Amino acid sequence: MKRKSVSSLKKKCDKVFSLWIRNRDQQCVTCGSRSNLQAGHYVSRSWSSLRYSEVNVNAQCVSCNVFKRGNMDVYALYLTRKYGDNILKELDKKKKPHQFTIKELETIYKKYA
């Protein structure tokens, strides 16, 4: 039986979470486009504590997410309108490194698959 690794589970979680986000939003939160959607992170996913945050991650088109580097000014306005004036500070406070366990990743996978 093949043993699961954290890195392979993280890739699986990234895939199902991204699909879940794109299905939830169905359009780019920064420009309204409905094509070429991705899961755009307001706070970089390198801050693993927010990697799978349903607040921090929203659908963005390739243009906004990649070419406009997140279109961050518009993204910040979107988050503030949706979650309130303190959301950006709250996300900033939650920025910290986190080492996922296999059990955590399996739970994340099951939630979004």
Side-chain angles (χ1 to χ4, degrees):
M1 186 168 146
K2 189 176 177 185
R3 192 173 185 290
K4 298 173 188 171
S5 71
V6 168
S7 64
S8 68
L9 280 171
K10 201 183 292 183
K11 285 178 188 174
K12 288 173 108 177
C13 287
D14 287 349
K15 190 173 186 174
V16 297
F17 184 65
S18 174
L19 182 59
W20 188 89
I21 290 292
R22 291 177 282 144
N23 286 333
R24 177 193 69 185
D25 296 342
Q26 297 186 353
Q27 69 181 36
C28 178
V29 299
T30 49
C31 78
S33 173
R34 293 185 175 274
S35 61
N36 298 315
L37 296 178
Q38 300 179 335
H41 293 69
Y42 181 76
V43 174
S44 169
R45 70 184 193 161
S46 64
W47 290 103
S48 48
S49 59
L50 291 167
R51 186 180 190 114
Y52 302 110
S53 164
E54 293 176 18
V55 174
N56 182 55
V57 184
N58 296 274
Q60 286 191 296
C61 67
V62 172
S63 177
C64 286
N65 193 32
V66 177
F67 302 118
K68 294 179 183 174
R69 296 188 175 169
N71 202 356
M72 298 311 264
D73 292 340
V74 179
Y75 204 160
L77 290 172
Y78 167 80
L79 290 172
T80 302
R81 278 194 308 268
K82 185 167 183 175
Y83 297 106
D85 292 336
N86 292 324
I87 191 59
L88 303 181
K89 288 179 185 174
E90 290 173 25
L91 288 173
D92 193 52
K93 286 180 190 174
K94 293 179 182 179
K95 286 191 327 190
K96 54 188 166 194
H98 176 75
Q99 294 293 322
F100 288 103
T101 65
I102 287 175
K103 186 169 179 77
E104 282 176 305
L105 291 168
E106 288 173 337
T107 300
I108 290 167
Y109 183 82
K110 286 177 188 171
K111 180 177 181 179
Y112 296 106

